[in-house]
Amino acid sequence: MSPRFAIVGHPNKGKSSIVATLAEDDSVPVSPLPGTTTKARDFPMRVDGEVLYDLVDTPGFQRAREVLDWLNAHERGAEARPAVVREFLSAHRGDERFHDECELLAPILEGAGVLYVVDGAHPYGGEYEAEMEVLRWTGQPRMALINLIGTGDHEAQWRRALDQYFSIVRVFDAVHADFEKRIELLRAFGELSEEWAPSLGRAAEVLLAERTRRRARAANEIAAFLFDALTAVESRAVSDDSPDPKVETRLQARLLERIRRREHDARRVVQDIYQHGNVETQEAEIAILSNDLFSAHAFSLFGLSRTQLALTGATSGAIAGGLIDAALGFTSLGVAAGVGALIGGAGTLLGAQGLASVQVLGQSLGGMRLTVGPLSDPNVPWVMLGRALLHHRLVAERNHARREALVIDAESGAHLAEAISGQARQRLETVFRRLRSGEVRGEDRARLRGEVGALLDE
Amino acid sequence: MAFALVTFTDLAFGWSTTLNVGADQIGSLVETASVPWAGLVPDAVPNAALIERSQFFRLEGAPVPGAPEALTGWWPFLLAAIVVYGMTPRLVLLVVAKARLVAATKALLLEDPRVTALLDRMSAPTLALSATETEPGRPAEETAEIAPTPGLSGAVHAVVWAGALQAADVAHAAGARLGVGVALTYDAGGARTLDEDRNTIDAIATDNPQSVVLFARAWEPPLLELLDFLKMLRARLGAGVSIVVVPVAEESSRVDDVHARTWRRAIAQLGDPHAYVEVGSE
């Protein structure tokens, strides 16, 4: 049977926060008002369908002293104590008075270990003894977790009391625990019982591997976003006269909107990767001015400029002419090649204008186009990168027990980008420059992904 | 089209040039050009005689080309030239372009970040951590209100629940929060047994107090066993006596709003018209 742990404790002491943190579930209701958990709920960790361990969130004790009184009244000796608890459970199954106690004792009697959660920020009180004693009666492996909900520190006092009843006592700040601490806690669960250790060790490994994979996925998305944002252009066919500034403004606005939306989408993807799809973020929009964009008003046919068209025509004309020269034993003194080039080039140019005005399905084949973008300011890619790195860091490290909105401060992003130095900076700048100039090469995507991945791993 | 032209019209061809080039040089040019099909269709290679005869000049008095039927002899050559030098390269180009397009698209597909992400998700083990059942819907919070604490007079009986206050601080707290003195102080809850609590209730009831004040730790949520105690106390005291619950924060600081709300909600659950919660108004 896979390891199972019942998380027990006074209501309102952070039990549900621990569950939310370990299960990466930000839908677990974490309310300060007691009575939020009314039913035992399972949180199994499943890998490819196999359950590695199971956490059970339980309601807390409400009438511990009464339970203990009943148990003491039926005392038959230490080795019979678990059986007596079982009798209590069967005797009070439907009893409303002990609804919460039955909910929490059932999984323990089915073989679950006990994780007892207390708040170390407030002083210890005698009222906890009854419930700790009831838990001891069950005979199951037990560990105590000292949570830290406020600013006080009564850890030492708590430890002295908890050491009497629990074999392992650890401090665990459920809301601020980072990934390493969570893994450490899982391994500690394994210390409770020998037969549980292998499963929990494997669980820890799976989570470590998952974190590496998540980083790679996030790097993939951030690199894709940078690529799209830095190569984005908006273009429109315009009349042959000088470009209308209103059209240019509109294209700029459209391009900036597209880039902003792409950034939003990338944020969402990264959040989903880390199971934070529900979190609300507050981030200022990226500031890009219209000066930061290239703008070009040029002739284009089949994506070729006038010069390019003429060159293709001239080249083929020259080749054809050259063949004739060769066959004549060059008695024509290379005239044929020259004439061919002239005819080819001129013909293409003259033909291009006419061809451009041909309309297919309402669109001209070519003609004058106004193209806005890509981003020309060399600082903007670094700003975008900094923002993305910061967002990733905050999301990746965010604990699922936190419920407040995620606020992203623009300044910190800039620091992250500035911290990139040396070879990595040069390599990134090369890629950025190529994307900016439009000479994109096939491996640029992969290179960008590699660089971002290395940055995320730091 | 070419076939129709050749069959139904007479096409005559001649050649002329400004350059000082003789028929034999034209002949070698034509032979070079005909190399691709010389072996297959020898008829499509014009011979020297045809070449000589079909040269023409524009000036008056120039040698006139030969018999008309000889002039049509050029057509196989021209047709072959069009097929070999015109059509064939274009066909080859078309095939090559198509093949390259397919290859490039395939490579591009594997580079697309969404495709790589998909492949990665497919090969990774599925990891699921969250609950299997959804949290059942929570019932709406009861909106039972507690009446404001009435003014108390005289001295009250104080109950310290689970060590909320040191004995020495009880009088001060009662004075500060409620403006009353304390006649007697009892302890209840905490590590005390249920029997001891029942005895305490009996002792209080015997005294016939006008009001009872219960001090409890503000940060500890009121459990059902505390509410049990209050119900028992009410049962023994009768309906008229005020029971005021005073949550006490650590080191006499202000009671947190959340804790205050929790206590009010819990005491309201009693449905006891003379039970009150006093958190202080600082």
Side-chain angles (χ1 to χ4, degrees):
Chain A
M1 221 207 98
S2 56
R4 210 160 162 233
F5 301 96
I7 308 198
V8 181
H10 255 203
N12 194 25
K13 295 308 172 191
K15 284 187 296 98
S16 299
S17 296
I18 291 187
V19 173
T21 301
L22 292 177
E24 293 191 348
D25 191 340
D26 57 8
S27 76
V28 175
V30 172
S31 149
L33 300 172
T36 312
T37 318
T38 51
K39 210 167 100 67
R41 240 173 118 211
D42 274 76
F43 291 82
M45 175 183 172
R46 287 152 280 154
V47 176
D48 282 339
E50 181 196 349
V51 175
L52 290 182
Y53 70 82
D54 190 6
L55 294 177
V56 187
D57 189 11
T58 65
F61 279 96
Q62 292 285 337
R63 294 181 165 109
R65 289 186 296 167
E66 266 194 66
V67 175
L68 193 54
D69 277 358
W70 191 99
L71 296 179
N72 279 323
H74 293 76
E75 161 86 88
R76 292 200 297 278
E79 94 289 1
R81 281 186 174 176
V84 174
V85 182
R86 212 175 293 271
E87 279 163 28
F88 172 88
L89 195 56
S90 37
H92 296 92
R93 257 265 142 74
D95 189 347
E96 247 323 290
R97 281 183 70 77
F98 296 108
H99 168 268
D100 286 4
E101 282 77 10
C102 289
E103 279 288 308
L104 75 91
L105 286 173
I108 299 175
L109 292 173
E110 283 164 17
V114 176
L115 297 178
Y116 185 63
V117 182
V118 299
D119 177 14
H122 289 292
Y124 171 73
E127 67 266 35
Y128 290 90
E129 278 178 37
E131 49 190 58
M132 295 198 287
E133 186 61 22
V134 171
L135 291 174
R136 191 173 33 192
W137 272 62
T138 63
Q140 284 300 103
R142 306 179 288 289
M143 164 157 76
L145 292 177
I146 303 178
N147 203 348
L148 297 164
I149 298 188
T151 49
D153 182 8
H154 299 267
E155 188 195 322
Q157 187 192 29
W158 275 101
R159 264 190 200 274
R160 283 195 296 273
L162 293 168
D163 280 340
Q164 306 289 320
Y165 294 88
F166 300 93
S167 47
I168 306 178
V169 177
R170 274 180 183 253
V171 175
F172 185 75
D173 182 348
V175 173
H176 298 108
D178 63 13
F179 185 77
E180 261 79 33
K181 295 219 177 64
R182 287 180 348 234
I183 297 292
E184 210 186 290
L185 187 64
L186 278 185
R187 292 200 204 273
F189 291 175
E191 289 169 36
L192 276 181
S193 160
E194 263 181 35
E195 51 174 319
W196 290 341
S199 239
L200 288 159
R202 229 188 98 209
E205 277 162 30
V206 167
L207 288 175
L208 282 164
E210 176 70 10
R211 185 162 80 137
T212 314
R213 202 171 302 117
R214 282 179 181 177
R215 283 217 187 106
R217 286 182 194 151
N220 196 21
E221 180 60 27
I222 293 173
F225 152 65
L226 284 174
F227 189 91
D228 292 344
L230 296 175
T231 54
V233 293
E234 283 283 329
S235 89
R236 221 194 94 134
V238 292
S239 65
D240 296 345
D241 321 358
S242 52
D244 178 2
K246 276 201 299 231
V247 174
E248 190 170 7
T249 317
R250 222 178 313 140
L251 286 179
Q252 281 165 351
R254 219 179 329 155
L255 180 62
L256 292 177
E257 180 55 33
R258 218 171 98 195
I259 293 177
R260 281 196 199 105
R261 217 169 326 131
R262 183 66 186 87
E263 195 183 43
H264 268 204
D265 292 345
R267 296 289 186 257
R268 266 232 84 85
V269 169
V270 170
Q271 279 163 220
D272 283 342
I273 289 171
Y274 286 94
Q275 309 283 73
H276 280 298
N278 296 329
V279 87
E280 187 198 313
T281 46
Q282 289 170 17
E283 184 180 16
E285 296 285 356
I286 184 168
I288 306 178
L289 307 169
S290 46
N291 291 350
D292 301 332
L293 307 168
F294 283 120
S295 184
H297 182 237
F299 178 84
S300 158
L301 178 63
F302 301 143
L304 298 173
S305 68
R306 265 207 243 276
T307 332
Q308 286 166 318
L309 282 169
L311 278 173
T312 46
T315 320
S316 26
I319 292 176
L323 285 174
I324 297 179
D325 283 328
L328 290 175
F330 293 104
T331 52
S332 50
L333 303 174
V335 167
V339 169
L342 272 175
I343 295 177
T348 318
L349 265 183
L350 296 171
Q353 195 64 40
L355 194 56
S357 53
V358 170
Q359 292 220 332
V360 177
L361 296 175
Q363 296 271 27
S364 310
L365 280 181
M368 298 303 285
R369 289 196 81 81
L370 180 60
T371 306
V372 163
L375 290 164
S376 62
D377 184 348
N379 288 324
V380 172
W382 294 102
V383 170
M384 284 181 173
L385 179 60
R387 286 164 62 95
L389 289 176
L390 177 63
H391 175 262
H392 172 265
R393 173 176 296 187
L394 292 175
V395 167
E397 292 175 2
R398 182 184 169 93
N399 192 301
H400 287 80
R402 302 176 77 159
R403 294 286 180 265
E404 79 279 12
L406 184 65
V407 176
I408 303 171
D409 161 35
E411 291 303 308
S412 318
H415 292 153
L416 279 179
E418 276 154 33
I420 306 169
S421 62
Q423 300 231 327
R425 191 173 196 92
Q426 279 177 345
R427 288 197 294 262
L428 276 171
E429 185 54 48
T430 317
V431 175
F432 290 157
R433 208 180 324 123
R434 275 213 292 271
L435 295 182
R436 212 170 20 243
S437 65
E439 307 154 8
V440 177
R441 283 198 225 155
E443 71 265 15
D444 281 337
R445 259 195 206 279
R447 192 162 296 184
L448 202 49
R449 186 170 46 236
E451 292 301 325
V452 174
L455 288 171
L456 290 186
D457 280 336
E458 281 163 27
Chain B
M1 177 74 182
F3 192 61
L5 272 176
V6 163
T7 317
F8 299 112
T9 61
D10 70 347
L11 301 169
F13 302 97
W15 62 273
S16 62
T17 175
T18 313
L19 301 174
N20 188 13
V21 160
D24 36 313
Q25 274 144 321
I26 297 295
S28 60
L29 172 66
V30 164
E31 260 176 56
T32 318
S34 314
V35 158
W37 63 84
L40 292 167
V41 193
D43 286 345
V45 185
N47 54 30
L50 174 63
I51 297 173
E52 267 218 53
R53 265 181 282 136
S54 48
Q55 182 176 21
F56 66 88
F57 303 89
R58 282 200 286 172
L59 280 183
E60 287 283 330
V64 169
E69 57 269 16
L71 295 180
T72 60
W74 276 99
W75 76 263
F77 170 78
L78 291 168
L79 186 64
I82 290 175
V83 168
V84 170
Y85 294 113
M87 266 181 57
T88 313
R90 284 178 167 81
L91 272 174
V92 168
L93 213 58
L94 184 70
V95 168
V96 166
K98 268 221 152 114
R100 289 200 62 199
L101 180 67
V102 168
T105 316
K106 255 191 227 160
L108 201 64
L109 198 64
L110 285 175
E111 273 177 24
D112 187 309
R114 286 165 297 182
V115 172
T116 43
L118 175 65
L119 289 172
D120 169 62
R121 283 199 303 272
M122 282 167 63
S123 60
T126 45
L127 179 64
L129 294 169
S130 46
T132 39
E133 320 149 5
T134 48
E135 177 78 7
R138 316 229 39 244
E141 273 190 26
E142 309 104 45
T143 47
E145 287 288 315
I146 302 209
T149 314
L152 302 172
S153 56
V156 300
H157 279 54
V159 178
V160 176
W161 182 263
L165 287 173
Q166 303 282 355
D169 299 327
V170 176
H172 171 81
R177 287 289 185 86
L178 301 164
V180 290
V182 175
L184 281 171
T185 306
Y186 298 89
D187 283 314
R192 302 170 67 77
T193 65
L194 289 171
D195 280 335
E196 284 169 335
D197 281 359
R198 279 180 215 118
N199 293 341
T200 302
I201 292 178
D202 284 338
I204 297 175
T206 323
D207 273 352
N208 230 334
Q210 284 180 307
S211 32
V212 177
V213 174
L214 182 118
F215 294 98
R217 290 173 158 177
W219 66 88
E220 294 291 359
L223 298 178
L224 291 177
E225 68 175 13
L226 169 58
L227 299 183
D228 286 349
F229 180 86
L230 292 174
K231 280 188 200 149
M232 265 195 290
L233 186 59
R234 169 60 69 208
R236 295 282 281 128
L237 289 177
V241 181
S242 299
I243 301 180
V244 182
V245 175
V246 178
V248 178
E250 248 179 302
E251 285 165 27
S252 55
S253 56
R254 204 181 148 261
V255 173
D256 196 44
D257 286 332
V258 171
H259 296 150
R261 207 166 6 121
T262 306
W263 278 96
R264 286 204 185 94
R265 204 180 81 170
I267 301 303
Q269 272 181 333
L270 285 173
D272 183 334
H274 296 289
Y276 311 97
V277 177
E278 182 56 52
V279 293
S281 47
E282 306 105 291

